[in-house]
């Protein structure tokens, strides 16, 4: 994928990705839960895409979330990982497994590494929806209220 850093280039990249997948603007908009005009405005650089929306787009067109963050210029999120010295391109499977086994991190799906690698929580072979993951996390807090604070 081409590394470009401004919103108009993001629009060009999204249009190219969408077409490579054989999707119309309406198809992609329906897949990611936004209106066709809204997606069109992103493709024409009239609107910016949030990191959350980029995650949905990355999943819909099967590209790296991290790459879309870079293209969109979300350097604050990228710098967060650089500050923690996490290189997503060379991430070892052991580190990913360690992150994925933290139930809170996995269920919240807020960790960019988890999102970038498309790790989804499952239960008994079934992938959990966002709502199911949120309910499971709420149950953990009920069952283990003394574990709300991170271990130091």
């Amino acid at each position: 994928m081409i590394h470009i850093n401004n919103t108009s280039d993001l629009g060009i990249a999204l249009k190219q990705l969408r077409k490579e997948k054989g999707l119309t603007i309406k198809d992609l908009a329906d897949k990611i839960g936004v209106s066709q005009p809204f997606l069109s405005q992103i493709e024409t650089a009239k609107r910016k895409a949030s990191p959350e929306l980029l995650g949905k787009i990355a999943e819909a067109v099967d590209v790296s979330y991290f790459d879309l963050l870079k293209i969109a210029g979300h350097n604050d999120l990228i710098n967060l990982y650089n500050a923690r010295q996490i290189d997503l391109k060379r991430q070892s499977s052991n580190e990913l497994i360690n992150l994925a086994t933290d139930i809170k991190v996995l269920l919240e799906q807020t960790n960019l590494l988890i999102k970038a690698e498309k790790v989804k929580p499952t239960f008994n072979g079934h992938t959990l929806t966002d709502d199911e993951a949120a309910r499971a996390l709420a149950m953990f807090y009920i069952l283990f209220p003394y574990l709300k604070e991170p271990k130091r």
Side-chain angles (χ1 to χ4, degrees):
M1 182 173 285
I2 302 168
H3 297 287
I4 38 189
N5 293 315
N6 67 49
T7 307
S8 64
D9 289 341
L10 173 66
I12 292 166
L14 289 180
K15 186 174 184 177
Q16 178 183 353
L17 288 168
R18 178 177 56 75
K19 288 186 173 191
E20 284 175 8
K21 293 293 179 181
L23 298 170
T24 65
I25 282 189
K26 181 173 179 3
D27 294 336
L28 182 56
D30 290 346
K31 276 183 122 174
I32 63 174
V34 298
S35 70
Q36 182 178 342
F38 182 81
L39 185 57
S40 178
Q41 289 175 339
I42 291 171
E43 283 191 1
T44 57
K46 293 178 183 161
R47 292 195 101 147
K48 291 185 178 185
S50 69
E52 294 79 15
L53 184 60
L54 290 173
K56 291 178 182 180
I57 292 169
E59 191 170 313
V61 296
D62 195 30
V63 297
S64 164
Y65 174 65
F66 190 72
D67 284 345
L68 283 185
L69 285 174
K70 284 196 282 189
I71 292 169
H74 285 286
N75 296 325
D76 52 337
L77 296 174
I78 294 164
N79 290 338
L80 174 67
Y81 278 99
N82 290 337
R84 291 177 152 183
Q85 298 176 344
I86 293 177
D87 179 4
L88 291 177
K89 294 296 183 188
R90 296 189 183 125
Q91 186 66 38
S92 76
S93 59
N94 285 340
E95 287 182 71
L96 180 59
I97 289 168
N98 288 339
L99 278 173
T101 56
D102 184 323
I103 294 170
K104 181 180 182 288
V105 171
L106 184 60
L107 291 175
E108 285 181 339
Q109 291 284 300
T110 54
N111 184 283
L112 290 181
L113 180 58
I114 296 292
K115 284 184 178 183
E117 296 298 329
K118 298 181 182 176
V119 176
K120 293 289 186 183
T122 61
F123 180 77
N124 204 22
H126 300 276
T127 301
L128 299 180
T129 65
D130 290 342
D131 185 52
E132 291 166 337
R135 289 187 309 196
L137 187 59
M139 290 305 299
F140 274 101
Y141 285 137
I142 291 169
L143 292 170
F144 308 107
Y146 54 90
L147 296 178
K148 280 190 176 180
E149 294 300 316
K151 184 177 181 180
R152 301 209 192 281

